[in-house]
Each structure stands twice: as structure tokens, then as C-alpha cells.
Amino acid sequence: MSDPAPTIVWFRQDLRLSDNPALDAAIREDRPVLPVFVLDDDSAADWRPGAASRWWLHQSLLKLDEALQGKLLLLHGDAGMLLPQLVADVGASAVFWNRQYEPWAIRRDTELKKKLQDGSTTVKSFNGCLLFDPPNTNKADGTPYRVFTPFYRKGCLQNGISPRRPLRAPDAMRLHSSTAGVSLDELQLMPSINWYEEIDASWTPGEAGAKDRLSTFLSDGIRNYKDGRNRPDQEFVSRLSPHLHFGEISPNQAWYAVDDSGSGQDLDVDEDCFLSELGWREFSYNLLYNQPQLPSENLQRKFDRFPWREDDEALRRWQRGLTGYPIVDAGMRELWRSGYMHNRLRMIVGSFLVKNLMLHWHHGERWFWDTLLDADLASNSASWQWIAGCGADAAPYFRIFNPVTQGQKFDPDGEYVRRYVPELAKMPNKFIHRPWEAPADILDAAGVVPGESYPSPVVDLKSSRERALAAFKSLSSPSG
């Protein structure tokens, strides 16, 4: 007697076995499960994974395939075409997946669902990547929140719907085998040039690595999270973002690991602060779901008139960490070397790009997209619009981070700068964040030659700040 028709489980941004609603539901169907991953660069188009994300995806798929006993079917191409063909080829009765919220994915999935259902294939989708589905966090009148605090405190915590409790990993799976796919190497996710050596040494992609990272954070980092998360020279951040983006761990698992009640009550300040950061992730997805133009258009349309500058040389210096401002350069070099940047630094380098250099936030968004391991369309777009002042609940236009005072406050001993800007390693603390002001004898002792061994500032802080303020104010003038 032959096996019954298999159920296809389409893995996407949920590369894990535990707390995977689509996989759990498919196993409960008591049919063989055919696990599939499709690298759909065709549908993603401009938002196909960047170079750093592709490296991570390769490693994560390798781990997932091992967990699935080598039976993960890999496909490359338009999922809207490939999955109906696969259904026909293997005689599948159903296709299950966990939802994505990128605009291109919603369009593709809507069309695919109709096509499959028209062919009498059962389709079921689940929420596997968010604490709350976006429609469940709207205001009482059905409209979405545009400000974070009421979104999180009322739309999330007081909406009467608790986050779904995490599901256990399956004890056993009856897996359907298929040989019709491509090999992992044929997906060509790995770069041809080995620039990722430090990234490889710094991260452990995969579900097991995600669980270890969460455990380490809960043991060593969360107790000083509220204040310590602003210190790039210390280890008080979770570093869970790439694991969350690729779904190697769910936000539900992180949420309940911190607060088993899920109520947001009786938490200490560090725990509450961490859960609110999960809330910011939810807020970003809520914005993207309700404002699908978020990655490309200013949410505040008056910014369409903003007088952005074009300066290829300044952009290049920013990208390479050669601005002459040590804390900015350290952040950009950390990104280039490790595929990651501390959150405080993301705000500092973002402010410097859009306000001191007055270069369009799109430049920062695209650079981060290609170089961040955790590049996430919702968080990346919402964060850049926030720092530029043109998004929802955005930073006020007059909030311009001073890289000198930011460095002095959050890297007081210069340890972070010295780690990523080694040419300044011998500079004393007093001048580590403003080497251009150091006397000649101190520069000589530190082996620093301004403009040669370390670049001179690309822009003057005072005049660039005044220029930015004037530009922002012009948006409110009658003739602006």
C-alpha cells in the first residue's frame, strides 16, 4: 500500500523545527511531509537577500537540512510557478506555510494561494514570525497605530490576545523524499571571494545556535540590558536579530523565555526593556504591512521636497569607515567585518549620513541591506525613516547625534574605537573621539598623522548641523 499524498511544508523565514506552526500542523495531518525551500529572487527583485544575508542563509539551510535528515528539497526560481508544478509532480494534497509580510511576498502568496486552491489543493498559512498578526494590533476603530508607545502598550499588550505559546519540536516526522531539486551549492549563496572569515568565526547560524545565543543573553546580558545596550564596548545586547530574521528562533520563544506570563507585568526594567525591543520589531512589521511603500517612499510626504545632497566621495567614505569621526568609522567597520552593528551605532552612523552629510536615507538603507546579516525589510526601512525624520513616530528633525559626545558617553574608554579603528589605538582617552584636536606631541606619540594614517573629518560638525537644521526647517516654511 502506497503512502498517502504528502503535505508540502514551504519553509521561508522560519528555518527551525521548534515552534513552527506550519510544520506542526502538517505533521498533525498524519501524512508524509515534504519540506521545501525556494530561493525566489525573481519575486523579491530589488529586495533579494544581500551578500551578507546570503552567507547566513547558506549556513542556516545547511543546518535545517541536517535536522530534516537530509530531505530538505531546495528549489531556485519563481515560487509561484515552481510550487504548483511540485504539487503536480508529487501528488501533494496540501501546501502549508508561515506568512511573510513583505509587500512582494504578500502579492506572490495571494496569487499562489488562488492558483493552488483552483487546482483543488488545500492551502493553509500561519503566523510564525510575529507575536501578533498586524490586523490584531489596530486601534479600536480599525486603523493602524503610527506611534510606538500606544501601539506596544495598547495594541499589543492590552489587546486581549496574548502571544501564541511556543510549540515543541516534533518528536518524529514521516518525511517524503524528492530528488527533483538543486543542491545547496547550486543556489550560489556563498560569495566567490572569501571576505566572510571574521563573520564565520563570530556567528553560529541555525536553530541550535539561536537557542545558545538566547541562553547566553539571558545568563550574561539581560541583567544590565536597559543601560548596557547603549554601550558598544560591552556585551549587553542580545545579538538575536539575524536568528530572528531567518526564523531560527521565534519571537514567541524569546518572549516567553523572558516572561512566561506574556503579560508585560511584574518585569524588572531590563526585562521590560528587552520585550519592548521585540515590540519595536512588531511595530516595524505593522508599518510595512499597512504602508507597503515604506522601503521606497517617505511616510511624511513633505520630505519629498527635502534638498538631499549628492556626494559620491562622502558616501564612499561613510561606507568604508573613513569619515574622520572615530565612533562613526568604528561602527561602519564593525558592519563591514562582522555583518553586524551595535544598535547605538546604527543610530549614530544613520544620523551622520542623513543629517551631517545630508545624503538620502535610501543610500544607508541599501548599504545596510547588502552588508547586514540581519537585513530585514521592515526593520531596515522603518529604522532609516525614523532616523531621517520622515517616518512614523520619527526622531525629531533637530535630534542630530554629535559623534564626539556620543563616543565620549557610550565608549568612554575608547575600547570600541580601538577595536575597529586600530590606527588610533595609542591615542589617549581624552582625544580618542576627536583626534584632530590633539596637540602635535600627542599625535606623534600615538603615531597618528592627520589626513594620512587617519583621515581628517569629512565635514565640519557645527556647520553641517546648521545646514541640516536649515533644510529641515525649510519644509515647514510657506515657500518650502
Side-chain angles (χ1 to χ4, degrees), residues 61-330:
L61 289 173
L62 180 65
K63 297 297 185 182
L64 180 62
D65 185 47
E66 292 173 358
L68 290 167
Q69 306 162 35
K71 293 185 178 180
L72 176 63
L73 176 64
L74 299 175
L75 300 174
H76 190 188
D78 183 349
M81 302 292 291
L82 292 173
L83 285 172
Q85 184 61 53
L86 180 63
V87 167
D89 290 345
V90 303
S93 62
V95 180
F96 289 5
W97 65 68
N98 293 313
R99 289 187 284 277
Q100 289 181 253
Y101 297 92
E102 295 84 356
W104 62 265
I106 291 175
R107 289 192 297 270
R108 177 200 60 192
D109 294 352
T110 301
E111 295 172 2
L112 174 59
K113 184 176 184 178
K114 183 178 186 306
K115 182 184 294 187
L116 290 171
Q117 289 177 331
D118 286 348
S120 300
T121 302
T122 299
V123 179
K124 294 183 181 180
S125 64
F126 305 84
N127 173 18
C129 79
L130 294 177
L131 296 169
F132 306 97
D133 258 337
N136 293 334
T137 56
N138 285 342
K139 301 176 186 177
D141 63 4
T143 60
Y145 286 95
R146 292 290 295 269
V147 178
F148 170 71
T149 298
F151 165 81
Y152 178 59
R153 297 296 174 186
K154 297 181 180 179
C156 293
L157 299 185
Q158 297 176 18
N159 69 1
I161 304 173
S162 297
R164 174 184 51 76
R165 286 189 171 275
L167 301 163
R168 292 179 53 190
D171 295 325
M173 290 180 285
R174 186 159 46 128
L175 296 174
H176 181 89
S177 296
S178 176
T179 59
V182 300
S183 70
L184 181 56
D185 287 340
E186 287 176 308
L187 292 183
Q188 298 183 336
L189 295 167
M190 294 293 284
S192 57
I193 300 173
N194 183 2
W195 47 259
Y196 52 84
E197 188 171 326
E198 183 170 336
I199 295 177
D200 192 50
S202 303
W203 297 92
T204 307
E207 185 172 7
K211 290 179 178 178
D212 287 346
R213 182 60 243 166
L214 176 60
S215 178
T216 298
F217 170 62
L218 294 178
S219 297
D220 303 335
I222 197 169
R223 291 305 159 209
N224 193 34
Y225 181 77
K226 189 175 190 299
D227 294 326
R229 70 194 180 103
N230 286 309
R231 292 288 299 272
D233 58 333
Q234 299 179 3
E235 297 292 333
F236 290 110
V237 290
S238 74
R239 292 173 67 89
L240 283 170
S241 51
H243 297 292
L244 283 166
H245 171 70
F246 287 97
E248 298 168 346
I249 194 168
S250 73
N252 306 68
Q253 289 171 303
W255 180 277
Y256 282 104
V258 174
D259 175 33
D260 190 57
S261 72
S263 65
Q265 303 298 315
D266 300 321
L267 299 168
D268 66 32
V269 293
D270 296 309
E271 292 168 335
D272 184 67
C273 185
F274 175 70
L275 294 187
S276 74
E277 289 302 306
L278 292 178
W280 272 103
R281 181 177 182 270
E282 298 282 314
F283 186 52
S284 297
Y285 271 89
N286 185 270
L287 290 175
L288 181 64
Y289 180 81
N290 289 291
Q291 305 283 343
Q293 76 276 18
L294 182 72
S296 57
E297 298 179 13
N298 301 310
L299 290 190
Q300 297 186 39
R301 299 315 300 264
K302 67 180 181 180
F303 276 82
D304 294 348
R305 309 191 305 270
F306 192 82
W308 298 110
R309 298 173 59 248
E310 292 292 335
D311 189 333
D312 292 341
E313 176 60 17
L315 177 61
R316 185 193 68 83
R317 289 180 61 173
W318 178 82
Q319 291 170 336
R320 300 300 178 184
L322 298 171
T323 67
Y325 289 97
I327 196 70
V328 174
D329 294 342

Side-chain angles (χ1 to χ4, degrees), residues 400 460-471:
I400 300 176
D460 177 73
L461 289 181
K462 182 179 179 181
S463 61
S464 63
R465 184 179 190 277
E466 292 172 348
R467 178 179 64 187
L469 289 174

